[in-house]
Amino acid sequence: MIGLVHFLTVAAIVFAIGLYGVLSKRTIVGILMSIELMLNAVNINLIAFSRFITPEVLTGQIFAIFTITVAAAEVAVGMAMIFRVYYDRNTVHAARLDEMRW
Amino acid sequence: MNIALLTSEIAVVILALLIIVFDLLMPRQEARRSLGYFAVCGLLGILVYTFNQHGASATVYHGFFVVDKFALFFKQLFIVATILTLLFSFDYIEGLTHNTGEFYALLLLSLVGMMVMASANDLLTVFVGLELMTIIFYILVGFDLRSSKSSEAGTKYLILGSAASAVLLYGMSWVYGFTGSIVLSEIAAHITASPAMLLGLGLMLAGFCFKMSIVPFHMWAPDVYEGAPIPVTAMLAMASKAAGVAVLLRVFLVAFADLQAYWLTIVSLLAGLSMIVGIIVAIWQTNTKRMLAYSSIAQAGYILSGLLAADAAGVKGMLFYAVLYMVANVGAFAVTTAVNNQYGSDKIDDLSGLSQKSPFLAVVMTVSLLSMAGLPPMAGFVGKMYIFMAITDKGYFWIAMLGLVMSMVSVYYYMLVVKVMYSKEAKNQQEFTASVSLRIVALISLIATLFIGIYPGPLAELANAAARSLW
Amino acid sequence: MFNQYALSHAALIPLLPAMSFIIVGFFLRRLPILAATVSVCMSLISFALSLGVGYGVIANNITVDNPLIQRIPWLSISGLTVDMGVYIDPISAMMLVIVTLVALMVQIYSIGYMRGDAGFGRFFAYLSLFASAMLGLVIAVNFVQLFVFWELVGLCSYLLIGYYFHKISAREAAKKAFITTRIGDFGLLVGILFLQILFGTLDFQQLASNVPLYVAEHGTNLLTIVALLLFLGPIGKSGQFPLHVWLPDAMEGPTPVSALIHAATMVVAGVYLVARAFFLFSVLPNAMEVIAWIGAFTACFAASIAFTQRDIKRILAYSTVSQLGYMMLALGVGSVTASMFHLMTHAFFKALMFLAAGAVLHGLPNKNDIFEMGGLRHKMPVTFAAMTIGVLAISGIPPFAGFFSKDEILLAVSQVSMPLYTIAVVTSFMTAFYMARLLIVVFCGSEKPDNQPHEAPMSMRIPLVVLGVLAVIGGYIPYANHFGDWVRFGSASHEGLHWGIAATSTVLSILAISLAWYIYGSGKVSPDKLSRRFSTLYKLSFHKYYIDEFYLWLNHTFVDGLGKILYWLELHFVEGIVNGIAGLPVGLGDLVRKSQTGKLQRYGLIMFGAMLILVVWLVLLSPLFKGVLSGGDY
């Protein structure tokens, strides 16, 4: 029988993968995708809690819908920003964004 | 359900939409400044209206959204900060972009996000307000199409900010899962000190600290502050940070109050670290905005330290400090804007000879910086005193001492800036001009800083009333 | 109607000049006519309000025992509440009227006196600031407010003495005034802190009710020390011996400033403080004795210096010091009435004399030595009349103002101590003598051929006339209207004139004036011969008993010597330590900022690393570390 713990474990693994991706992906596009993974891990968590902890109210599921919407907005802005960066420097490598430091 | 409580937020949204419409209808040339004045007038009207809501303490949408003195205090703070920022940056914004209407509208919408945050009474509203504010700030930070720094700053802010939001959300999902609710008061009722709960709490704390740029979650701040257009930097420093403080206070003092014993130690360490790092790194900066970024990190540490008292006196100190910090920053950023309009860059060296070219602006800058350093009779002294008195009562003597020592160190680098203004020769003999509205804002900042410093009573009373409404 | 308005809005009295300071100082500095108009108008309204307050006090029967107090909370943190407010009783009402009146007169006078000066606007801004600070001091409700404004008037005094900052002597005098009064202010501050520690409040009214209880319980020993510390402030500010040295030098400022600040108002702040805190001093007999003796000595001592001075303003300055000594003496023997009465008449006639001296200097630029003047009475009749009235008033000739107040002081002193009375009478004799000397030498005698004196312009004559009238009637009218019923401490005194004392002092004064005429006016005796005959005494007096030199020597030997030792220590020990400490944050800052590499994933690594540590700490370790850093018991 698949229970709450399994969902939470999957979510934790997805979150960790996303986090690892944010820190290690070389292009900004990849980093954005990793962030999506992290947000999806949150969604899994929310819906699992909603199903198992508060089955009679749908708080968690509504929360998940908001998260998806916000994530979409974030990606839209993110893509626009990536275009700007590419326009400025002909690259989308995160490591090349180091004009400002110290 | 009383929709009237949402009036001020709705009004700001309508104002923003109107500006977009007008921007489309008006011929380009005329659209420029009149839209800014329109925004300022609209905000002034809304500000006046918010005073109407005083005394109310009610919730809408099943307790998702609350209007009390605490929320109103912050809303008024945000609105005033936006008005002042708009006023001093007309010239700058005109030079920045042709789409001024868009810029104003976005700024107003981010203001809506902050106002929602101030009123948020559950985790979902906190999240939505926070994201509304932050996503718009991503755009605004990258708004300067001429500068590669701006897009770099925008990207950095976006990536790190989204990742931090994901962390915050992940924390919220745990808290939700283990209390079965997202409304703050119900969370407080079901809270237990289980490891999962503490995990959620820790993740949320990290997320909020990111928004407030608390060390070590501050790494984004200097780069973003430096790259963003000045009005956006100003808003980030003053309003966005204050919004972070508002939700942090409500979440931690309402929902997580029973877990105080667990988070107080960490908060004290974070606050102390922020003071130290913000101040010692600021010494090395050569860019005014970057210097102000580090100074804002340190100031965030001072504000956060008020949370250690975990009572009305500490919150009062934090609210008071948020206001005076806003006022001082308005002055500093107004002067930075004026200098930027003149030379097109933000180097501290560009301030040289300001005392001869524009003695008034030099005085404003000096007073603002010294207020942040906490010298009497400027407002910063009183703010620090309120906070430190509140936390020493609770036994955090070491943090107060650290704060005092760091204040002394901070005087050093603030005085470096003052020295540049007063003892270095100007680069050229060009006439120095600054718009009337900028001068007015600078004057307001100067008078307010001195007035609050000399006669803190009324503002302290206001902050006190706001702080008490949390309990 | 107006009385009530003035009473309830008494806070406006200091606020209006403050506004004028801001307007003139920031916006009208370069527009002399507007600057003068604004400050004079504000002063005029202030004066009208003060008069309203004065009438209101009488009409509403506000006495020293039931003052009218308004307070607003200024600062409140746990354990300390400080108010700002307005304290109206007959004493402060009287001070309000005097200060606003003299300030108004001096401002009108300055329009003519300062005409064409490059810093005209600045001058009026400072005058307004001073008026505001002085009025704030007068209406203080507690020691904190008093101290704040006390320092502010000190600052104004500094700014105005150094008004001609291009002159070295003016700069030096300003510094001297500031530093000398600082010494006294330090004592005052320590005294105030002691009061806060002992009583937990600095409010005059609360202190007044707490002090007797404290004395009954703990005796007077500690309190006497506190009171003497407090008294250091007045010693500095009111030019009492041995901190009187700054006042004569303060004459480097423009003459209207000398009239307003260094004669009529600021220097009496010390006297006012003692009167205001009389509930404290009056229960401490030892402190009172000290005050009386310092006052008496200062009076006599300063008069003896004034004997031989040649600079017209310096003579007046020493006479001010001497009269301030008189007021202190009156307080020391327990008579607030006499002291305040003399304060008022002195403000009138001393301001009058200073303004007259200013008119003389205006007519004869760049001449300060009275022996280079002479015969001015023909060319400057109004000024001559004004100065004559002033001299007669200060000498205590009836029916001029000084007669009544001086008599009151002498009467009060005679009831307490015979030696003090003798000193006071001798001083009175000397005062009459040197003032008559000034009058005779400057205005009588033969005209000097190379002088081209001219009468002062209208704006300068009006204040002379107004103050002249007041110097004549300012004594009798209050006397006839029972001044002592209103301005008093404890029960009212109904002594009236004591004819014996009045006659003695009047006769002595007339004698002194005749003597002065005999020596300086008649031409029968050569003053130079006299000074040679008493050459030792003359030199002592002329060089002000070498007190300045003594202080310089003290300074050289002890302060500089100590400085040398400390400097050596500083160079060899402190500097290294300080630089080391200062280098620490700078070096650390450099290290930390190197972590800011600009690479966003590095930032992410640090942040998420920190997040991990934070979470691990919270989940695993925080139960172990509960409350470790708070020191509290959580």
Side-chain angles (χ1 to χ4, degrees), chain C residues 330-553:
Chain C
L331 287 171
V333 297
S335 175
V336 171
T337 309
S339 174
M340 290 292 120
F341 195 9
H342 196 60
L343 188 158
M344 177 169 78
T345 57
H346 174 255
F348 296 148
F349 61 68
K350 189 49 71 61
L352 175 70
M353 282 196 283
F354 262 111
L355 294 186
V360 169
L361 296 175
H362 188 74
L364 286 175
N366 304 322
K367 288 230 162 88
N368 285 343
D369 190 335
I370 53 173
F371 289 100
E372 290 179 20
M373 302 169 181
L376 296 182
R377 69 175 182 280
H378 306 293
K379 295 278 171 55
M380 311 177 84
V382 178
T383 311
F384 172 60
M387 190 59 104
T388 312
I389 292 173
V391 168
L392 292 177
I394 199 174
S395 308
I397 305 293
F400 295 95
F403 167 73
F404 295 94
S405 56
K406 203 175 242 184
D407 184 67
E408 192 120 6
I409 292 180
L410 291 176
L411 178 61
V413 176
S414 70
Q415 288 165 345
V416 172
S417 147
M418 220 45 214
L420 284 174
Y421 175 70
T422 318
I423 295 177
V425 171
V426 169
T427 307
S428 158
F429 176 81
M430 293 198 287
T431 307
F433 177 80
Y434 68 74
M435 289 317 302
R437 162 177 176 260
L438 183 147
L439 182 73
I440 292 161
V441 171
V442 172
F443 288 97
C444 304
S446 56
E447 285 183 46
K448 300 281 184 292
D450 50 343
N451 285 349
Q452 302 294 330
H454 59 84
E455 181 60 289
M458 189 54 114
S459 60
M460 288 165 66
R461 289 206 298 271
I462 294 172
L464 288 182
V465 172
V466 173
L467 287 170
V469 170
L470 284 168
V472 177
I473 62 170
Y476 179 70
I477 291 182
Y479 167 75
N481 290 299
H482 304 290
F483 183 78
D485 286 356
W486 295 97
V487 176
R488 62 190 159 81
F489 180 82
S491 59
S493 60
H494 287 284
E495 300 288 349
L497 277 182
H498 188 290
W499 291 109
I501 288 172
T504 318
S505 74
T506 309
V507 168
L508 279 175
S509 292
I510 291 171
L511 263 179
I513 293 173
S514 322
L515 185 62
W517 173 255
Y518 179 68
I519 296 176
Y520 296 100
S522 67
K524 287 178 192 149
V525 186
S526 156
D528 290 341
K529 258 189 202 157
L530 267 180
S531 63
R532 270 196 295 279
R533 178 171 305 168
F534 300 103
S535 76
T536 322
L537 285 176
Y538 179 83
K539 268 192 195 148
L540 264 184
S541 163
F542 186 74
H543 293 286
K544 307 150 217 165
Y545 297 94
Y546 297 98
I547 288 198
D548 276 323
E549 284 76 5
F550 175 66
Y551 284 166
L552 266 182
W553 175 80

Side-chain angles (χ1 to χ4, degrees), chain C residues 64-144:
Chain C
V64 282
D65 304 318
N66 70 352
L68 176 78
I69 300 178
Q70 299 157 355
R71 290 194 187 93
I72 44 168
W74 178 52
L75 189 74
S76 91
I77 42 178
S78 51
L80 174 68
T81 310
V82 180
D83 294 336
M84 281 281 167
V86 179
Y87 190 107
I88 303 265
D89 68 353
I91 300 181
S92 61
M94 181 200 85
M95 285 294 287
L96 284 179
V97 175
I98 295 173
V99 174
T100 50
L101 173 71
V102 178
L104 178 64
M105 288 303 134
V106 165
Q107 287 190 346
I108 293 173
Y109 180 89
S110 305
I111 297 174
Y113 188 84
M114 300 301 288
R115 171 160 299 162
D117 194 281
F120 193 86
R122 180 164 60 98
F123 182 76
F124 274 89
Y126 288 164
L127 277 190
S128 298
L129 179 63
F130 167 76
S132 166
M134 185 69 205
L135 293 164
L137 188 157
V138 167
I139 58 172
V141 290
N142 55 36
F143 273 109
V144 175

Side-chain angles (χ1 to χ4, degrees), chain B residues 152-285:
Chain B
E152 179 184 328
T155 312
K156 280 180 178 169
Y157 192 27
L158 179 107
I159 302 285
L160 296 173
S162 314
S165 295
V167 168
L168 177 69
L169 264 180
Y170 195 56
M172 284 182 177
S173 75
W174 282 99
V175 171
Y176 160 61
F178 278 76
T179 54
S181 173
I182 56 171
V183 178
L184 298 184
S185 49
E186 288 175 33
I187 292 175
H190 296 112
I191 206 156
T192 49
S194 62
M197 182 60 83
L198 289 172
L199 170 70
L201 190 153
L203 293 172
M204 284 179 71
L205 182 61
F208 287 138
C209 285
F210 176 86
K211 300 295 171 203
M212 291 169 56
S213 67
I214 293 291
V215 178
F217 305 98
H218 70 290
M219 303 296 286
W220 60 277
D223 292 4
V224 171
Y225 279 38
E226 185 182 342
I230 300 177
V232 178
T233 310
M235 286 297 283
L236 271 177
M238 306 183 296
S240 155
K241 191 160 289 185
V245 174
V247 279
L248 178 81
L249 279 177
R250 218 188 265 281
V251 170
F252 275 73
L253 292 178
V254 176
F256 298 146
D258 288 347
L259 299 184
Q260 263 181 35
Y262 294 92
W263 52 259
L264 275 177
T265 314
I266 290 199
V267 167
S268 71
L269 288 174
L270 290 172
L273 260 181
S274 290
M275 294 177 194
I276 297 173
V277 172
I279 282 167
I280 61 174
V281 182
I283 296 174
W284 286 91
Q285 301 308 317

